[in-house]
Amino acid sequence: MTGDDSAQLRFPSVGDRAGRPNTTALLGEAFLRQGAHIAMTVAQAGFPQPRSYSLVFAHIDRERGSRLTELAARTGVTPQSMSDVVNAMIRDGYVERVPDPDDGRAKRIVLTARGEAGMAEGDRVIAALEERYAEVLGADDLETLRTLLRRIVEARF
């Protein structure tokens, strides 16, 4: 890649090889940039949060809540790390722990009204990103990109 620093990959060890950035680096860069954009825009709308909160927001069952162990398993982090994130989100008013109706010994992590509002804002930002993707790529190429990414995900590397 050429141009200013903002166009450079953050993955130099797997990045540009003989003038051709590899797919892993490009996917990683796209993920980081989009995540940063979502977090910044949601924060500007009144829902400040560190990126780690996306571990919960992206994986929580919005209707029933989720057990901490489920969230940890879905995200690939340890239960202790997930507990740290959840505790911070409780302090910031995004989630709360409630008794699990299926198991009185367990707790579920559920969204508060503030958490629901923050997720609604995140949904709005993501919808705007989808529109921007369509502007940049065109509708047909965007659908091709989705199809190809789905195939990569389903291949389970």
Side-chain angles (χ1 to χ4, degrees), residues 7-155:
Q8 298 300 309
L9 292 171
R10 295 179 224 198
F11 301 94
S13 65
V14 294
D16 201 349
R17 298 264 165 72
R20 181 173 178 251
N22 72 45
T23 306
T24 300
L26 290 170
L27 286 170
E29 186 66 24
F31 174 78
L32 288 174
R33 287 180 186 215
Q34 300 319 290
H37 174 78
I38 293 165
M40 177 191 68
T41 307
V42 169
Q44 289 171 343
F47 302 98
Q49 57 195 262
R51 282 183 165 177
S52 61
Y53 287 15
S54 67
L55 292 170
V56 173
F57 283 135
H59 297 280
I60 194 168
D61 182 327
R62 288 170 91 159
E63 293 178 18
R64 300 185 62 230
S66 301
R67 290 184 183 179
L68 187 130
T69 54
E70 293 169 339
L71 291 169
R74 287 181 195 148
T75 59
V77 302
T78 66
Q80 178 59 46
S81 293
M82 181 57 69
S83 182
D84 292 343
V85 173
V86 166
N87 288 336
M89 292 180 77
I90 289 170
R91 281 190 304 273
D92 287 345
Y94 291 112
V95 298
E96 62 184 344
R97 284 188 178 90
V98 299
D100 186 330
D102 300 329
D103 180 352
R105 300 166 296 164
K107 300 277 187 191
R108 286 197 173 269
I109 311 305
V110 298
L111 295 167
T112 62
R114 178 171 171 73
E116 289 282 356
M119 284 196 70
E121 182 61 23
D123 292 344
R124 188 196 66 71
V125 173
I126 290 168
L129 277 172
E130 290 285 333
E131 290 176 14
R132 180 71 175 126
Y133 298 154
E135 289 173 10
V136 170
L137 300 174
D140 290 343
D141 283 351
L142 178 56
E143 191 54 39
T144 298
L145 176 62
R146 285 187 188 115
T147 299
L148 295 173
L149 289 171
R150 203 173 293 117
R151 284 174 45 195
I152 289 172
V153 169
E154 290 170 357

